[in-house]
Amino acid sequence: MLSALAERGWVTQVQCPAALLPDLAAPLAAAARGPLVFDHLGWPDVRAGVDEPGFRRLLAFGEAGAFVKLSGAFRLSREPYPHQDLDPCVAALRDSFGPERRLWGSDWPCVAVERRPTYAETLALRDRFRCVVPDHIGC
């Protein structure tokens, strides 16, 4: 599928736990010739922290030019809004993914969750995480 996406020049959006990235890194890097976007903060394990090998691999993708979508904080955090347990991960993502490669998404309609965040909360996180809202990503 990655080859088909690359042939069309489409964006490859990756949505998997960061812990799987050490095994997926080589196939992703080899096959995805277009932009790579890691969704939901790259799905870090907040309890494992920023030194978890999969999260470190995610940061390496950022340093190589990939994008990260800072969305779905309420899905990853172990704390209620404003999800401050994500701050170390977000700080590391800001360092590895330049400001032009940190995207925001509301994750609306926020399905399959016990408590849906308000839109105001998602906008506040966009500002706190210092994201951009692009009109396109190379497509």
Side-chain angles (χ1 to χ4, degrees):
M1 182 192 319
L2 291 173
S3 296
L5 292 173
E7 287 172 16
R8 290 167 177 79
W10 290 1
V11 173
T12 300
Q13 184 162 306
V14 180
Q15 190 176 87
C16 72
L20 297 178
L21 287 179
D23 293 332
L24 298 175
L28 278 173
R33 293 184 293 270
L36 275 175
V37 178
F38 291 89
D39 201 4
H40 290 87
L41 299 131
W43 283 94
D45 179 347
V46 176
R47 292 174 287 201
V50 296
D51 291 322
E52 188 272 322
F55 190 74
R56 300 302 307 165
R57 187 61 191 95
L58 172 67
L59 298 178
F61 271 110
E63 292 163 4
F67 295 77
V68 65
K69 192 182 302 178
L70 300 178
S71 64
F74 62 94
R75 296 185 187 282
L76 305 166
S77 178
R78 303 290 178 225
E79 296 179 2
Y81 177 83
H83 314 301
Q84 291 179 317
D85 59 337
L86 293 173
D87 287 353
C89 292
V90 170
L93 291 168
R94 276 197 311 256
D95 289 344
S96 294
F97 292 81
E100 69 286 350
R101 292 180 290 108
R102 291 191 310 262
L103 312 175
W104 173 79
S106 68
D107 210 24
W108 188 88
C110 309
V111 297
V113 293
E114 189 172 310
R115 181 202 170 269
R116 290 183 182 194
T118 67
Y119 206 67
E121 289 171 350
T122 64
L123 289 174
L125 287 174
R126 178 201 62 194
D127 296 340
R128 192 170 122 230
F129 292 169
R130 292 184 239 150
C131 303
V132 298
V133 182
D135 58 359
H136 73 288
I137 305 172
C139 50

